[in-house]
Amino acid sequence: MGRSGTPGEETRPRVRHAGQLGWDDGLYEDASAKSPDSADDGRQPGAADDGHRRDGRKRRGKKGKRRALRWVASVTALLIIGGAGAGYLYYEHLNSNIKKADLTLGDKKMADHKANAAGQTPLNILLIGSDARDSKENQKLGGAKDTFGAPPLADVQMLLHLSADRSNMSVISMPRDTMLKIPKCTDPETKRVYPATTGLAMTNETLGRGGPGCSVATWYELTGITIDHFMMIDFSGVVSMADAIGGVPVCVKGNVYSHTSEGHGSGLKLEKGTTKIKGKQALQWLRTRYGFEDGTDLGRTHAQHMYMNSMVRELRKGTKLTDPGKLMSLADAATDALTVDKGLDTVKKLYDLAEELKKAPTKRITMTTMPNVYGTGDLKERVLPKPGEADQLFQMVRDDIPLDGRASKRKKKAPVAEKPTSTPAETPVTVRNGTRTETEYPAKGRATTVKDLLAEKGFTQGSIDAQNTESAVRTTVSYPSVDMKGNAQAVAKALGIPLSAVKKSTAVSGITLTVGADWRDDGDYHAPSAEEKTPDSARALNGDDEGACMDIQPGFGW
């Protein structure tokens, strides 16, 4: 994939044919047989049977069948560790089980969190599901012998946000075939440098560019959300989790059998109503695509959200978690399947993290999917962040706004206006064009137009930074030192930009106005709506919703 053109305002992206990208949405496959219980080609009806792994080998849909409960297992592992009690967890072998890696492999330094009025800061954790086949257990669960030992893909990625006041928790799921820019990443072990993609690439490729730290860097590049930790899970230790709590209740609105005449489907067969599922049946639920809603991966994600909410409810009831031997075995499996950043490299740290997560009541947990739209042409089998609505969801998380529509207990401090130290005519301002989005080219000439608007307001020392091509969701004014804050606020006030968009940054050498995607058109700046509402397209699902029930795809009943 690539983006051609010269740096600056006229840079234009281009994208590679989708056939050059991986497509892998299976969860479980019996390596020795193809049956309704072990076959799911993981494609939308009519999708081409092509794709690649990082080693260049083709992956046929029939053999790419693994979609583990990875993100489910990530959160479950936290809850299990938090509920297990310190007495069963401080064994040295549990610490040695845990694999560690660098938090971020990108060049861009993540911004510090903004504290609320009480001095509290939020907590963001990226949950990553790897399709690795690097152990006998993973190979048994994953099947597909031709991919044993091949570089993994980050096929499941979800951002867990715990509010600063610990009153609520939000989860954003990013579809694995989302097309976005991947920043420069450096493998910490081999020191290999992976250049930034010059155009769009599929998000699940990030894991193969040095490890989970590249997935973290990519999320930060796209969303601007500061990420504190990551947790990556593989196939190992997942199957036993549903059994350990005695099963998880799920609901379908009609009899369903996930099986096609070609032998595709997860093999899930359930009667209408609520059923408590565990073991292989739980795996089938979490991998079912054919049979749920419209038969797409987005429907499957919604089913996974239902399952996870139900599992959290069961875990918080303490169901079936009183047997010390079973609990120790489960903790051992969970830690062995886990890779974390170095800030979570001990059981004690994981336990402390779980204690923090448990502060958010189930009724304040909200599961969402990143608002998205299907691409066109070569990208018709891929999705892109939905303009406006994906940005709105990311902005709410950045601002620590609950996705369940309820106000946090603590309110943020309002920005305080400071007196400028120089007149507008004496204040240099650098203007950048950051109007490019994942689906739109930069708005041509925006930096020049805004520079002229500043001149009309008396800021005659404006200049254009044509070398900077980074995109920005929102228009901002940055300044490098506190003595420039009043002047930066004066620039914002002159253009009608809210003071909340004025930020201190060590990445600039002087007052810098970045024209964002919210100001692509000519005319005065109009601040985006302050409406604090989760977009309907995010399909928010509340953790306390015991009435959630999956719609059945026509033709998959029995």
Side-chain angles (χ1 to χ4, degrees):
M1 308 198 134
R3 178 166 55 81
S4 62
T6 57
E9 300 183 39
E10 299 185 43
T11 303
R12 298 172 61 87
R14 71 170 188 269
V15 292
R16 209 165 42 174
H17 191 281
Q20 294 175 284
L21 299 169
W23 181 275
D24 173 21
D25 64 1
L27 165 67
Y28 179 87
E29 178 189 25
D30 183 343
S32 62
K34 179 175 72 177
S35 69
D37 288 341
S38 64
D40 184 354
D41 68 352
R43 295 170 292 157
Q44 297 185 33
D49 191 12
D50 57 5
H52 78 285
R53 299 190 67 85
R54 187 159 60 88
D55 60 1
R57 289 179 295 177
K58 291 280 185 172
R59 291 177 297 149
R60 286 184 283 275
K62 294 180 180 179
K63 296 181 179 179
K65 306 161 184 175
R66 66 265 185 205
R67 173 123 176 145
L69 329 178
R70 300 108 158 175
W71 94 269
V72 174
S74 296
V75 182
T76 303
L78 282 177
L79 294 169
I80 289 170
I81 290 170
Y88 297 120
L89 294 175
Y90 289 115
Y91 292 103
E92 192 60 35
H93 78 274
L94 289 184
N95 280 332
S96 65
N97 278 348
I98 303 170
K99 296 173 283 294
K100 302 95 177 174
D102 290 344
L103 174 62
T104 178
L105 302 180
D107 287 344
K108 183 180 291 187
K109 182 180 178 181
M110 286 190 283
D112 293 332
H113 284 298
K114 288 186 176 181
N116 63 13
Q120 302 164 309
T121 55
L123 183 64
N124 297 317
I125 307 169
L126 184 62
L127 308 175
I128 304 170
S130 164
D131 71 349
R133 311 299 179 84
D134 54 358
S135 70
K136 289 183 178 179
E137 188 173 2
N138 283 336
Q139 291 168 3
K140 179 181 178 181
L141 292 171
K145 293 181 180 179
D146 64 331
T147 61
F148 286 3
L153 296 171
D155 273 352
V156 176
Q157 300 176 44
M158 294 191 174
L159 184 72
L160 184 153
H161 171 81
L162 182 64
S163 66
D165 61 10
R166 304 305 190 248
S167 68
N168 64 90
M169 184 190 302
S170 304
V171 174
I172 300 177
S173 170
M174 184 186 294
R176 67 202 165 92
D177 53 345
T178 299
M179 304 300 294
L180 41 64
K181 286 183 63 181
I182 301 178
K184 174 185 174 183
C185 294
T186 302
D187 190 313
E189 294 185 4
T190 67
K191 306 305 179 185
R192 176 178 175 181
V193 176
Y194 295 87
T197 58
T198 53
L200 303 180
M202 199 155 75
T203 186
N204 69 352
E205 296 179 9
T206 57
L207 194 56
R209 295 168 63 88
C214 193
S215 300
V216 170
T218 302
W219 268 80
Y220 184 67
E221 185 88 6
L222 175 68
T223 68
I225 298 171
T226 297
I227 298 174
D228 303 281
H229 301 292
F230 72 78
M231 299 182 68
M232 183 171 72
I233 203 83
D234 58 18
F235 293 109
S236 302
V238 171
V239 177
S240 62
M241 291 185 180
D243 290 334
I245 62 172
V248 176
V250 295
C251 176
V252 290
K253 294 183 179 179
N255 293 350
V256 62
Y257 181 29
S258 179
H259 178 61
T260 70
S261 57
E262 293 81 17
H264 304 314
S266 71
L268 179 72
K269 192 171 186 179
L270 291 178
E271 292 184 356
K272 177 181 178 180
T274 300
T275 304
K276 186 170 272 194
I277 60 174
K278 56 184 179 179
K280 185 175 180 180
Q281 200 171 39
L283 286 169
Q284 291 173 334
W285 174 276
L286 287 152
R287 67 180 287 235
T288 293
R289 191 168 82 119
Y290 298 128
F292 284 164
E293 299 186 341
D294 60 356
T296 69
D297 187 61
L298 299 177
R300 173 161 52 195
T301 298
H302 195 56
Q304 291 174 345
H305 290 169
M306 287 185 187
Y307 180 93
M308 188 58 217
N309 279 341
S310 184
M311 177 177 272
V312 170
R313 293 194 295 267
E314 292 297 299
L315 283 168
R316 292 193 173 183
K317 292 176 186 175
T319 307
K320 299 292 185 181
L321 289 179
T322 57
D323 182 338
K326 181 178 292 186
L327 196 53
M328 290 177 66
S329 177
L330 186 56
D332 191 36
T335 53
D336 189 53
L338 208 57
T339 300
V340 298
D341 67 276
K342 295 173 183 177
L344 292 177
D345 59 357
T346 67
V347 170
K348 174 63 166 60
K349 292 177 182 177
L350 289 171
Y351 177 84
D352 291 342
L353 175 60
E355 288 297 296
E356 288 295 296
L357 294 175
K358 286 165 62 179
K359 292 178 181 179
T362 310
K363 64 182 179 181
R364 298 298 310 278
I365 296 175
T366 307
M367 305 279 179
T368 66
T369 300
M370 180 194 74
N372 58 86
V373 293
Y374 280 103
T376 58
D378 291 342
L379 297 180
K380 65 181 179 181
E381 303 292 352
R382 306 289 182 251
V383 298
L384 300 165
K386 188 173 184 179
E389 296 187 13
D391 296 338
Q392 182 179 341
L393 195 66
F394 299 149
Q395 183 72 42
M396 290 179 71
V397 172
R398 285 196 300 269
D399 292 343
D400 198 24
I401 298 170
L403 298 188
D404 61 5
R406 297 172 59 183
S408 292
K409 296 176 184 177
R410 305 280 186 182
K411 296 297 184 181
K412 295 185 300 180
K413 295 179 182 178
V416 177
E418 298 191 8
K419 186 177 180 180
T421 59
S422 61
T423 66
E426 298 171 327
T427 304
V429 182
T430 300
V431 184
R432 295 174 175 174
N433 184 352
T435 59
R436 177 178 53 77
T437 72
E438 297 294 345
T439 58
E440 298 175 292
Y441 304 133
K444 186 176 180 180
R446 290 302 296 146
T448 299
T449 300
V450 173
K451 173 179 168 291
D452 292 343
L453 285 176
L454 278 171
E456 293 176 7
K457 303 293 183 179
F459 292 89
T460 54
Q461 290 194 47
S463 61
I464 296 174
D465 180 5
Q467 300 304 310
N468 188 288
T469 60
E470 290 189 9
S471 59
V473 174
R474 299 280 185 261
T475 297
T476 60
V477 180
S478 303
Y479 60 94
S481 56
V482 291
D483 59 304
M484 295 186 181
K485 183 176 181 179
N487 296 338
Q489 289 180 332
V491 171
K493 185 177 179 180
L495 296 175
I497 299 170
L499 293 187
S500 59
V502 179
K503 305 177 185 298
K504 184 174 182 292
S505 172
T506 57
V508 297
S509 58
I511 295 175
T512 302
L513 169 60
T514 301
V515 184
D518 59 343
W519 200 10
R520 291 176 57 86
D521 299 323
D522 292 337
D524 295 334
Y525 178 78
H526 297 286
S529 171
E531 182 183 21
E532 298 179 352
K533 180 180 181 298
T534 301
D536 291 340
S537 57
R539 302 195 67 183
L541 184 64
N542 184 267
D544 229 19
D545 186 358
E546 297 188 28
C549 203
M550 283 301 294
D551 289 315
I552 304 306
Q553 185 181 7
F556 287 87
W558 58 275

